[in-house]
Amino acid sequence: MTARNGNLQVLLVAYPCGLPQERDFMTADGPIPRPSDGEILIRSIFLSLDPWQRLRMRDPQQFGRQYGKPVVLNEVIPGAVIGEVVQSRNPRYREGDLVEGKLGWQNYAVSHGDSDRSNDGEGVSKVQTFGLPFSLLDVGRPRPGETVVVSAAAGATGSVAGQIAKILGCRVVGLAGSDEKITFLVKELGFDAALNYKTERDLRESLTSQCPDGVDIYIDNVGGPIADLMLALMNDWARWVVVGHLADYEKPLDQHFGVRAQGHVLARRMRMQGFIVHDYAAQFPIARRRIRQWVHEGRLRYREYIAEGLRSAPRTFIEMLNGANLGKTLVRVGPYVESVPR
Amino acid sequence: MTARNGNLQVLLVAYPCGLPQERDFMTADGPIPRPSDGEILIRSIFLSLDPWQRLRMRDPQQFGRQYGKPVVLNEVIPGAVIGEVVQSRNPRYREGDLVEGKLGWQNYAVSHGDSDRSNDGEGVSKVQTFGLPFSLLDVGRPRPGETVVVSAAAGATGSVAGQIAKILGCRVVGLAGSDEKITFLVKELGFDAALNYKTERDLRESLTSQCPDGVDIYIDNVGGPIADLMLALMNDWARWVVVGHLADYEKPLDQHFGVRAQGHVLARRMRMQGFIVHDYAAQFPIARRRIRQWVHEGRLRYREYIAEGLRSAPRTFIEMLNGANLGKTLVRVGPYVESVPR
């Protein structure tokens, strides 16, 4: 299975405390794996950096039950990758095919051939990002004229979810952490309003005035004190989609102390529901088609922040968690050559 | 509209702080109202005491937005009543009809004729109580083999909800606050297990051992620290039905400090939903038929705690909130004469 080295890999060497530090990561030169019968060898092109990876970087001793399997120390960090098949021992794949899979932070990986074929010339952002917010609307179920608030609205999930809500006829208000993001949301993506939660003097007051008819859907990527505040703004029959809780990632679930949602959930007969993207995998093909059409029609825009080289992954990941990047964060690991559709 | 006195009424004279005290209430001799055209005059027979009434006894100045309309000081306390039509100016009702309505803590009330006719010889408990837990299962959607935990399980809502879950093939574990209630739940109602949350040395540990396959549905009547603890026991795709939060009734919604549910809701892709009974009024007739059949077959049992006389209502209400009573709490306000079905 193992042979010559030449497979640059990024490993987690310590569970981060708070915002990860570069010293929590290490690059190593591992062997390029050899595919067995039925497997393919994939060269990574784009690595998708996503907040869920921070959730997996928590010490299982300390956190107990959590969201997905924790990253194992000194092993390759898991992550979605778009790559090129460079060796195939699976009749369904040819060399040169572009595939997508959870191949991790490394230059080469073998797959059991269950990767999605993705040889339509579209990169990670057009696949991974777009499956997510579309499926999410399944939980939120927006209706025309409703008010939707999105937190981390300039991020990969929030920016697309908000735009789809606009397409469906909702009033959309975004929350983000810099004036550049606010401008992007309103001027470029067409949000009805956006608020910088870091600088608003009275965020609750500002949200109330931007949501004169209350809030019907909250797409919550951050949790924390903003969630506590949002609870009081929700309308009867509101839907609260829990996508992430970045504000509390550093704490075990039992120590997310704040306002208990239950009283508000009852008073407003609200529905609060957790959303994990891979539960909706069966709908991805439909989502992609629809999304592609909206992009083609100019109704849906996206931004990518692309860092260069696998070695930049830890720094870029930290920047993303810190809110420094705008749009979907990718790392270009190797050259991207558009494959010829067969 | 007003005439001779003779209508004993219970008024709220002060918003309670914590558990209500008898001094927060006052009885008064008000006028017996006269029905206008299209109205009926009703003599109260049974008064239904329910925890939601405590929720309405909160100072609107202090609590802001809340669950339903607050009780107005020095006015009659609202409440569901079964009564007898003693004067009818509405062709749909005859004198002697038994009706049900939100007529309040008083001997006589007029109704605009939109009361449910209830002349089948069944009292409040067979109507009010049973509409609630049946509809509630619409939100929880139990499946055979699932584990259901019910808090305030010996109360009017919990005891029936738990039994229906048993009928539907679930494992049912009840939480209650006295050994008498625990015995009642297991021996009389057939719960699989019941735990006294006041005396269990390690409630989490006990719940874990009584729910070896985790918890699929939590029917939450109490909120508070028990809710914080339950969050960690829920299974993937669990449903959390918020029916009440007795533990936090004394605090404004924004001050229900404890564990934020959102992290658990995400990790378990849980659905947490508020339940308010009157939203399901359209289903009450179906629920009654089904419930009546189960009672007839001996599959569903209920207990009533009946206090005598309207003057006992405040004390009985305080006892109910304090967990002193077992089953549905009623006050017999006047003589019950079975009416002849017409």
Side-chain angles (χ1 to χ4, degrees):
Chain A
M1 198 68 180
T2 63
R4 59 194 157 121
N5 279 7
N7 184 13
L8 191 67
Q9 301 177 314
V10 182
L11 320 176
L12 187 72
V13 294
Y15 291 112
C17 173
L19 190 71
Q21 307 292 316
E22 291 205 47
R23 65 169 179 268
D24 299 329
F25 302 88
M26 190 181 80
T27 50
D29 180 28
I32 298 178
R34 283 186 178 158
S36 307
D37 252 13
E39 290 186 330
I40 52 180
L41 177 65
I42 301 162
R43 175 183 66 79
S44 302
I45 300 174
F46 286 112
L47 177 61
S48 171
L49 299 188
D50 299 288
W52 63 259
Q53 291 164 319
R54 174 65 184 87
L55 269 177
R56 302 281 185 92
M57 294 178 185
R58 299 187 300 186
D59 187 351
Q61 301 297 322
Q62 192 193 333
F63 281 80
R65 194 169 80 148
Q66 41 179 296
Y67 174 113
K69 221 178 92 200
V71 176
V72 178
L73 288 189
N74 303 310
E75 291 198 2
V76 174
I77 295 165
V81 161
I82 285 276
E84 180 195 1
V85 176
V86 290
Q87 190 184 347
S88 174
R89 298 187 62 181
N90 182 320
R92 296 192 291 121
Y93 296 89
R94 286 199 312 198
E95 287 170 25
D97 280 356
L98 281 182
V99 293
E100 179 197 359
K102 284 252 168 81
L103 304 171
W105 295 20
Q106 56 187 339
N107 270 329
Y108 292 95
V110 293
S111 156
H112 300 282
D114 51 3
S115 306
D116 276 332
R117 187 171 292 119
S118 173
N119 55 2
D120 53 6
E122 297 190 306
V124 168
S125 60
K126 302 183 189 68
V127 177
Q128 173 77 3
T129 309
F130 286 167
L132 177 57
F134 190 77
S135 313
L136 180 154
L137 297 180
D138 253 33
V139 179
R141 295 186 203 156
R143 290 180 280 240
E146 289 192 325
T147 298
V148 178
V149 174
V150 184
S151 62
T157 301
S159 62
V160 180
Q163 288 180 85
I164 295 177
K166 278 301 297 173
I167 290 172
L168 299 179
C170 298
R171 175 174 177 81
V172 179
V173 177
L175 294 170
S178 77
D179 290 343
E180 184 201 1
K181 291 177 181 176
I182 298 306
T183 305
F184 168 69
L185 292 170
V186 175
K187 301 288 181 200
E188 201 160 327
L189 302 190
F191 279 44
D192 295 285
L195 296 169
N196 182 342
Y197 69 89
K198 288 185 181 164
T199 58
E200 284 293 329
R201 207 167 37 82
D202 183 339
L203 185 59
R204 178 171 174 159
E205 180 57 36
S206 306
L207 272 163
T208 304
S209 82
Q210 290 301 337
C211 304
D213 300 321
V215 179
D216 301 294
I217 300 179
Y218 181 41
I219 296 176
D220 187 9
N221 290 295
V222 302
I226 294 179
D228 293 350
L229 178 160
M230 285 299 302
L231 283 166
L233 304 179
M234 304 306 285
N235 285 335
D236 280 354
W237 304 107
R239 287 78 71 202
W240 182 295
V241 189
V242 187
V243 186
H245 43 82
L246 202 50
D248 278 329
Y249 279 179
E250 297 150 34
K251 299 177 209 133
L253 294 179
D254 292 344
Q255 289 167 32
H256 291 194
F257 295 121
V259 174
R260 289 191 190 106
Q262 288 92 324
H264 290 275
V265 166
L266 175 61
R268 306 272 77 83
R269 58 275 256 193
M270 209 190 299
R271 175 163 55 81
M272 180 177 270
Q273 198 167 335
F275 174 86
I276 298 183
V277 63
H278 54 69
D279 294 334
Y280 297 81
Q283 295 186 49
F284 288 176
I286 304 167
R288 280 182 213 183
R289 263 206 308 281
R290 190 80 60 91
I291 291 286
R292 196 174 295 144
Q293 190 192 333
W294 284 331
V295 170
H296 182 71
E297 295 169 357
R299 301 174 77 189
L300 194 61
R301 292 159 186 233
Y302 60 93
R303 281 265 196 109
E304 290 169 346
Y305 175 89
I306 302 180
E308 299 293 336
L310 187 57
R311 285 180 197 278
S312 75
R315 180 172 35 80
T316 310
F317 183 66
I318 295 164
E319 285 169 4
M320 179 195 66
L321 291 175
N322 220 0
N325 310 335
L326 204 156
K328 172 70 185 170
T329 303
L330 300 172
V331 174
R332 194 191 322 262
V333 176
Y336 171 54
V337 184
E338 207 162 308
S339 74
V340 182
R342 51 174 196 187
Chain B
M1 199 68 183
T2 64
R4 60 196 156 119
N5 280 6
N7 185 13
L8 192 68
Q9 301 177 315
V10 182
L11 319 175
L12 188 71
V13 293
Y15 291 113
C17 173
L19 190 71
Q21 307 291 317
E22 291 205 48
R23 64 170 180 269
D24 300 328
F25 302 87
M26 190 180 82
T27 49
D29 181 26
I32 297 179
R34 283 186 177 159
S36 307
D37 252 12
E39 291 186 330
I40 51 180
L41 176 66
I42 302 163
R43 176 182 66 77
S44 302
I45 300 173
F46 285 111
L47 176 60
S48 172
L49 299 188
D50 299 288
W52 64 260
Q53 292 164 320
R54 175 64 184 88
L55 268 178
R56 302 280 186 93
M57 294 178 185
R58 299 185 301 185
D59 187 350
Q61 300 298 323
Q62 192 192 332
F63 280 80
R65 195 170 78 148
Q66 41 180 296
Y67 175 113
K69 221 179 91 200
V71 176
V72 178
L73 288 189
N74 303 310
E75 292 198 1
V76 174
I77 296 165
V81 161
I82 285 276
E84 179 194 2
V85 176
V86 289
Q87 189 183 346
S88 175
R89 298 187 59 183
N90 182 320
R92 296 193 291 120
Y93 297 90
R94 288 200 309 201
E95 288 171 25
D97 280 356
L98 281 182
V99 293
E100 178 197 1
K102 283 251 169 80
L103 305 171
W105 294 21
Q106 55 188 340
N107 270 330
Y108 291 94
V110 293
S111 157
H112 299 281
D114 51 2
S115 306
D116 275 331
R117 187 171 290 118
S118 175
N119 55 2
D120 54 4
E122 297 188 307
V124 169
S125 62
K126 302 183 189 67
V127 177
Q128 172 77 4
T129 310
F130 286 167
L132 178 57
F134 189 76
S135 312
L136 178 154
L137 298 180
D138 252 32
V139 179
R141 294 187 202 156
R143 291 181 280 241
E146 289 192 325
T147 298
V148 178
V149 174
V150 185
S151 62
T157 301
S159 63
V160 179
Q163 288 179 87
I164 295 177
K166 280 301 297 173
I167 290 172
L168 298 179
C170 298
R171 174 174 179 81
V172 179
V173 177
L175 295 171
S178 77
D179 288 345
E180 183 201 3
K181 291 177 180 176
I182 297 306
T183 304
F184 169 67
L185 291 170
V186 175
K187 301 288 182 204
E188 200 159 326
L189 303 189
F191 279 42
D192 296 285
L195 297 168
N196 182 341
Y197 69 89
K198 288 185 182 164
T199 58
E200 282 292 329
R201 208 168 35 82
D202 183 339
L203 184 59
R204 179 173 173 156
E205 181 58 36
S206 306
L207 273 163
T208 305
S209 83
Q210 290 301 338
C211 305
D213 298 323
V215 179
D216 300 294
I217 299 178
Y218 181 41
I219 296 176
D220 187 10
N221 290 295
V222 301
I226 294 179
D228 293 350
L229 177 159
M230 284 300 301
L231 283 166
L233 303 179
M234 305 306 286
N235 284 336
D236 281 353
W237 305 106
R239 284 82 68 202
W240 182 295
V241 189
V242 186
V243 185
H245 43 83
L246 203 49
D248 279 328
Y249 279 178
E250 298 151 33
K251 298 177 210 133
L253 294 179
D254 293 343
Q255 289 167 33
H256 292 193
F257 295 121
V259 174
R260 289 192 190 106
Q262 289 91 325
H264 290 276
V265 166
L266 175 61
R268 306 273 77 82
R269 58 274 257 194
M270 208 190 297
R271 176 163 54 82
M272 179 176 271
Q273 199 166 334
F275 175 85
I276 298 183
V277 64
H278 55 70
D279 294 333
Y280 297 80
Q283 294 185 50
F284 288 177
I286 304 166
R288 280 182 212 182
R289 263 206 309 281
R290 191 79 59 88
I291 291 287
R292 195 174 295 143
Q293 189 191 333
W294 284 331
V295 170
H296 182 74
E297 294 169 359
R299 301 175 79 188
L300 194 60
R301 291 158 186 234
Y302 60 94
R303 279 267 196 109
E304 290 169 347
Y305 176 88
I306 302 179
E308 298 295 335
L310 187 58
R311 286 180 196 279
S312 76
R315 179 172 35 80
T316 310
F317 184 66
I318 295 164
E319 286 169 4
M320 179 195 67
L321 291 174
N322 219 2
N325 310 336
L326 205 156
K328 172 70 185 170
T329 303
L330 301 171
V331 175
R332 195 190 322 261
V333 177
Y336 172 54
V337 185
E338 204 160 314
S339 72
V340 183
R342 52 173 194 187

